[in-house]
């Protein structure tokens, strides 16, 4: 059984599907808990702040992205915690997962084709390759 589950979230439909699956996994084990990790990418945050005149709107937008994911955990009555970190998503997720010793890492896949993944890399691929815990990629 998985007692400590890490889910990397970004508010996308893929992370919502991953959250649904993580909530289901946690709901079958009364001792399970979820840590939802939201990574604020420095470059993206800087660009958003430059382009968006109102920083409060930016915070509200991020909260609106995350809220439906947290609702999944509430619906399934699982213990959860939201953690927000700054950095590049892939390495930040890997270092957090390894520092905290999770039983399972759940992450959504963007569905890149082989060529796109080779050129761009994908966060889910980087995490699966480098994290020490088992990784479940949800498409």
């Amino acid at each position: 059984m998985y007692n400590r589950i890490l889910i990397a979230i970004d508010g996308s439909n893929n992370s919502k599907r991953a959250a649904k699956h993580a909530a289901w996994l946690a709901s079958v084990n009364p001792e399970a808990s979820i840590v939802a990790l939201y990574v604020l990418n420095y470059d993206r945050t800087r660009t958003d702040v430059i382009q968006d005149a109102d920083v409060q709107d930016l915070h509200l937008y991020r909260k609106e992205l995350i809220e439906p994911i947290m609702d999944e955990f509430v619906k399934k009555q699982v213990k959860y915690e939201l953690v927000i970190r700054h950095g590049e998503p892939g390495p930040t997720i890997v270092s957090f997962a390894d520092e905290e010793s999770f039983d399972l890492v759940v992450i959504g896949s963007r569905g890149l084709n082989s060529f796109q993944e080779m050129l761009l890399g994908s966060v889910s691929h980087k995490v699966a390759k480098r994290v020490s815990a088992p990784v479940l990629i949800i498409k």
Side-chain angles (χ1 to χ4, degrees):
M1 283 282 182
Y2 301 115
N3 291 327
R4 287 183 40 88
I5 301 171
L6 172 65
I7 177 160
I9 60 170
D10 63 4
S12 67
N13 287 333
N14 298 321
S15 74
K16 289 175 187 173
R17 281 194 302 276
K20 227 176 215 183
H21 200 80
W24 177 80
L25 282 171
S27 72
V28 297
N29 177 6
E31 295 181 28
S33 64
I34 293 176
V35 174
L37 177 63
Y38 183 81
V39 179
L40 291 169
N41 187 329
Y42 285 123
D43 294 334
R44 191 170 181 189
T45 302
R46 189 177 316 121
T47 303
D48 289 345
V49 168
I50 290 169
Q51 292 177 353
D52 192 350
D54 190 359
V55 176
Q56 291 301 326
D57 287 345
L58 189 57
H59 292 304
L60 183 60
Y61 170 73
R62 287 195 178 116
K63 184 179 179 191
E64 288 171 356
L65 283 177
I66 295 171
E67 208 167 273
I69 293 171
M70 300 299 109
D71 289 344
E72 285 297 324
F73 306 142
V74 172
K75 269 195 265 183
K76 290 288 187 180
Q77 299 178 347
V78 296
K79 294 174 265 182
Y80 73 92
E81 169 189 3
L82 174 64
V83 174
I84 299 174
R85 295 287 160 105
H86 289 270
E88 189 180 334
T92 304
I93 294 165
V94 170
S95 64
F96 183 79
D98 287 343
E99 287 167 12
E100 298 292 323
S101 302
F102 289 93
D103 299 318
L104 179 69
V105 176
V106 179
I107 189 166
S109 171
R110 242 187 348 182
L112 298 176
N113 66 36
S114 307
F115 183 68
Q116 289 171 318
E117 192 169 315
M118 181 181 70
L119 288 177
L120 304 171
S122 76
V123 173
S124 59
H125 180 78
K126 290 173 186 172
V127 169
K129 195 167 130 181
R130 294 184 178 101
V131 78
S132 20
V135 176
L136 178 61
I137 299 175
I138 304 294
K139 322 196 293 185

